[in-house]
Amino acid sequence: MNQNEAIPFIQEKAAAMRRDCIEMGYSAGNHGAHFGPALSCIEVVASLFFGVMNHNPQVPSMANRDRFVLSKGHACLAYYAALVEAGYFAREVMYTFKHDNSYLSGHPICHPEYGLEVASGSLGNGFAVACGMAMAGKVKKESHNVYCILGDGECDEGLVWEAAMNAAKNELDNLIAVVDRNSFQLAGKTHEIMNLNLEAIWKAFGWDVQMVADGNDVQSVLTALNEMKNSKSGRPHVIIAKTLKGKGVSFMENNLAWHAAPLSKINYEQAVTELDAQQVGGQSNA
Amino acid sequence: MHDISLETLSNWSKLGHRTAIGETLFLLGKENSKVYVATADLTPTARLTHFLDAFPDRFFDVGIAEQNLIDFTAGMAKEGLLTFAVGLAAFIPMRCAEQMRINMGYMNLNVKAIGIEAGVRFGPLGNTHFAMDDIAVARTIPNMTVLAPSDPLSIYKAVYAAANHSGPVYIRLTGAPGFPILYPDDFEFVIGRAIEYKKGRDIAIISTGSVLAAAIGAADLLEAQGISVRVIDMHTIKPLDTAILDRVFAENRLILTVEEHSNIGGLGSAVAEYKAGIDQTPRQIICGLGDSFKKVGSYDFQMQASGLTAVELANVAMANLR
């Protein structure tokens, strides 16, 4: 599939994933869910799973698969939605999100059969492990890449920078990180809590940096990912993708209250109505 | 079986546990091309130069960054590599406790973390460089195996046992230059199976780490006064050898647990936790570093101040034997 063919396919998957996020989050009832940070990174996750990564849901531990680590583990709805749409587990499983004994906890567990590569959610940790995985790929002379999504708030964590400097030192150009720059973190706007010039900092740490002005535009995301995927610059890569927190559901967009919250029946119905109206070709995947 | 000569052991004894660990990792790396070593700026300190020179492609220095040391090696372990992460016990596991909990515990990744200079050997450097709590931190993490070998050969054996064990291991190392050879002959080191170093009826001294030498010394002093002392090398703190403890509870009248670690959360606690559920067991005296920060002073000063000498341990035993 060339990029022009891939774009509508990924857009369709992204729309379905957004709908899945709402279904999962609603099924968690009063436990609520991290809607905002999941919806912001949907296009990035969809582009990876349905346009960039080599993977096979029938053989989840395929040796030459590209590795995916969702370091911002609280956005697990986006991850689970991609795994459902790709066929890693049955749609019914999706509705067990946060239920007793479910594999789908509020932050991902390590469960390779479900395509869940690394337990994440303790911020900084998934990214640092992804760097080690990329190192192993180099050591073993394997050709796959390691993809990792971080939150912009997550970049406050010291461990991110311990790992970033070590990745650059070891020339891990098989590592492609994406910072989901939705400009919010738990307690407020990122520029108010810790105003980081992410582009300058990542560059200073020796990374190839690419800015994507609209991280919710599949074409922009896909172009950036494909460029970095094929680059053998000797430097690790990071895409800083400017996204919209809560993208796709009007009352969640740029609204910190929806960083994590339970979804009422009324809000659920409104979200579903809005998303169904946005579906590519008017088709619903629900 | 091993091919370590007595001369080599004497050399390691003379130079201390750093040499023992550095040389052991070199020997392991020579035998097993799948062994990788990473450190946090401790290449000369942990005597890893030999490994680095021989296997530069299997050696990583992440800089002064213990959290990343654990995560980086965890990522490699996730991809099937056998990785040893070497740092100061003052910082491993305390600085990277959460990374150990998630990656080694929760994900059960095959990382072998080694903390050198555990306890109070860095006496003159002050409390920032002591590790009086590392057993406590490590053993509360599910899936974690915790080892504390006592002498040069047992360090070698512990590292090889860890390499052959599938799952996360924390190895705490003590033993200053001049720490004695306690195992001059080959012996079997099995994770989770304590060694009955000496048989005895009255008192059981259960020790972990290089302070075993003081425990043996105490036993000798007590034996000279007609008291029969059993000495146990509890080189594995987790999983605890409860079978040997059952025998101690049935056969001995007093237990001393001995460790170069806080009295809270270490070997003494582990034994007491098990003992709590069993009727009519002997009294246990926990002999450790107490629950306090220390004054600055030499290693001998520290051990003396905490009563971790043969004479002091024998005195405690005498005072409590009824």
Side-chain angles (χ1 to χ4, degrees):
Chain A
M1 201 186 308
N2 66 33
Q3 185 160 319
N4 287 338
E5 291 167 342
I7 289 168
F9 177 65
I10 295 167
Q11 285 170 333
E12 192 180 314
K13 289 292 187 186
M17 284 166 58
R18 246 186 201 101
R19 189 73 168 70
D20 295 340
C21 287
I22 297 301
E23 291 296 329
M24 275 186 276
Y26 184 55
S27 69
N30 288 334
H31 295 309
H34 285 83
F35 291 103
L39 294 173
S40 64
C41 65
I42 290 285
E43 280 73 18
V44 172
V45 179
S47 296
L48 286 170
F49 274 85
F50 302 107
V52 176
M53 293 198 304
N54 172 34
H55 66 115
N56 183 351
Q58 266 59 57
V59 192
S61 295
M62 183 175 75
N64 63 343
R65 73 192 182 285
D66 286 323
R67 273 58 164 174
F68 175 77
V69 178
L70 182 73
S71 195
K72 49 172 287 186
H74 55 292
C76 58
L77 288 180
Y79 192 6
Y80 300 157
L83 293 171
V84 169
E85 294 302 326
Y88 279 88
F89 50 81
R91 187 160 292 273
E92 305 88 82
V93 175
M94 184 175 94
Y95 292 96
T96 69
F97 175 62
K98 288 192 178 177
H99 290 198
D100 295 350
N101 279 322
S102 174
Y103 288 121
L104 305 184
S105 50
H107 297 88
I109 63 170
C110 174
H111 191 65
E113 302 95 279
Y114 275 12
L116 294 166
E117 196 85 57
V118 170
S120 64
S122 159
L123 296 178
N125 195 73
F127 171 64
V129 172
C131 293
M133 292 164 69
M135 188 74 247
K138 286 282 185 189
V139 162
K140 293 160 82 177
K141 299 185 170 32
E142 292 173 345
S143 59
H144 65 265
N145 286 325
V146 178
Y147 296 90
C148 178
I149 301 180
L150 300 95
D152 49 356
E154 182 174 9
C155 293
D156 296 352
E157 282 282 1
L159 177 56
V160 168
W161 305 107
E162 288 188 6
M165 68 176 101
N166 191 48
K169 170 189 168 177
N170 287 292
E171 303 179 354
L172 301 180
D173 55 13
N174 57 344
L175 175 63
I176 297 156
V178 180
V179 177
D180 180 20
R181 185 52 150 156
N182 62 31
S183 300
F184 282 93
Q185 55 198 97
L186 188 146
K189 293 178 178 170
T190 49
H191 75 268
E192 288 172 354
I193 289 170
M194 192 55 64
N195 192 13
L196 301 178
N197 182 340
L198 291 178
E199 182 180 12
I201 299 173
W202 282 98
K203 272 187 184 156
F205 272 79
W207 285 56
D208 276 344
V209 182
Q210 190 157 336
M211 304 301 287
V212 169
D214 184 356
N216 296 118
D217 174 58
V218 169
Q219 182 168 0
S220 307
V221 172
L222 197 58
T223 302
L225 284 170
N226 280 330
E227 194 177 307
M228 296 209 146
K229 170 185 177 177
N230 297 317
S231 159
K232 294 294 165 218
S233 65
R235 288 182 295 277
H237 314 284
V238 61
I239 294 167
I240 299 172
K242 177 98 184 67
T243 61
L244 186 63
K245 186 113 167 176
K247 167 77 178 174
V249 178
S250 62
F251 58 88
M252 293 182 179
E253 288 186 354
N254 266 336
N255 184 351
L256 188 61
W258 286 98
H259 174 78
L263 192 62
S264 70
K265 186 164 188 293
I266 290 170
N267 283 333
Y268 164 74
E269 284 167 355
Q270 186 186 338
V272 164
T273 303
E274 287 182 18
L275 290 175
D276 285 351
Q278 297 162 23
Q279 290 276 29
V280 175
Q283 286 182 321
S284 170
N285 285 292
Chain B
M1 283 299 291
H2 66 91
D3 53 5
I4 309 298
S5 68
L6 197 54
E7 187 187 352
T8 299
L9 292 179
S10 298
N11 194 37
W12 293 0
S13 161
K14 191 169 69 189
L15 296 172
H17 74 262
R18 298 180 186 188
T19 299
I21 189 63
E23 288 303 299
T24 297
L25 287 171
F26 166 73
L27 293 170
L28 181 65
K30 199 163 76 169
E31 283 175 31
N32 185 345
S33 64
K34 292 192 169 63
V35 168
Y36 293 77
V37 172
T39 186
D41 196 31
L42 287 190
T43 309
T45 311
R47 310 294 186 254
L48 298 170
T49 313
H50 206 172
F51 188 102
L52 167 62
D53 289 346
F55 319 112
D57 295 340
R58 290 192 274 136
F59 184 84
F60 302 95
D61 187 342
V62 304
I64 308 167
E66 289 79 10
Q67 295 178 32
N68 189 44
L69 175 66
I70 295 301
D71 277 13
F72 187 62
T73 48
M76 292 200 285
K78 177 82 174 65
E79 297 293 336
L81 303 180
L82 176 53
T83 55
F84 285 78
V86 184
L88 283 179
F91 313 124
I92 290 184
M94 201 54 142
R95 173 75 67 105
C96 50
E98 200 227 347
Q99 285 70 33
M100 291 176 74
R101 181 178 70 190
I102 295 168
N103 300 300
M104 298 171 69
Y106 191 31
M107 287 207 281
N108 204 15
L109 293 175
N110 195 29
V111 174
K112 318 301 175 184
I114 298 176
I116 68 166
E117 301 292 2
V120 289
R121 218 278 286 183
F122 275 156
L125 294 184
N127 288 271
T128 54
H129 282 60
F130 297 169
M132 301 188 284
D133 39 29
D134 56 318
I135 296 174
V137 172
R139 82 182 181 89
T140 54
I141 297 173
N143 295 328
M144 191 74 77
T145 291
V146 181
L147 305 179
S150 59
D151 89 327
L153 185 55
S154 64
I155 289 175
Y156 171 92
K157 294 263 178 182
V159 168
Y160 272 70
N164 290 322
H165 170 83
S166 177
V169 180
Y170 170 61
I171 306 176
R172 88 176 312 239
L173 295 177
T174 50
F179 74 134
I181 292 173
L182 304 174
Y183 295 98
D185 303 320
D186 196 18
F187 70 103
E188 200 180 9
F189 185 108
V190 179
I191 289 174
R193 195 191 301 163
I195 294 168
E196 185 171 40
Y197 195 87
K198 181 186 162 313
K199 294 184 190 307
R201 295 179 313 278
D202 301 320
I203 300 174
I205 303 182
I206 305 171
S207 172
T208 197
S210 59
V211 75
L212 176 62
I216 294 166
D220 290 344
L221 293 172
L222 292 162
E223 294 273 351
Q225 299 189 52
I227 299 163
S228 172
V229 183
R230 174 184 237 164
V231 178
I232 291 168
D233 177 3
M234 193 69 86
H235 55 67
T236 306
I237 298 150
K238 185 182 178 183
L240 198 62
D241 184 350
T242 54
I244 206 164
L245 291 178
D246 288 340
R247 295 206 299 278
V248 166
F249 298 161
E251 297 163 10
N252 297 100
R253 291 156 53 202
L254 177 68
I255 298 168
L256 261 64
T257 51
V258 180
E259 60 198 306
E260 191 182 333
H261 185 276
S262 166
N263 281 25
I264 299 172
L267 171 69
S269 296
V271 169
E273 287 157 14
Y274 178 65
K275 204 167 88 71
I278 300 171
D279 287 335
Q280 295 182 331
T281 52
R283 278 208 311 146
Q284 176 193 352
I285 311 296
I286 295 177
C287 303
L289 297 170
D291 175 28
S292 64
F293 291 108
K294 308 304 177 196
K295 302 275 191 197
V296 166
S298 69
Y299 188 33
D300 286 347
F301 167 85
Q302 300 294 353
M303 298 300 267
Q304 191 82 44
S306 293
L308 292 174
T309 63
V311 171
E312 288 303 318
L313 291 171
N315 287 343
V316 169
M318 285 297 283
N320 286 281
L321 188 65
R322 290 168 190 163

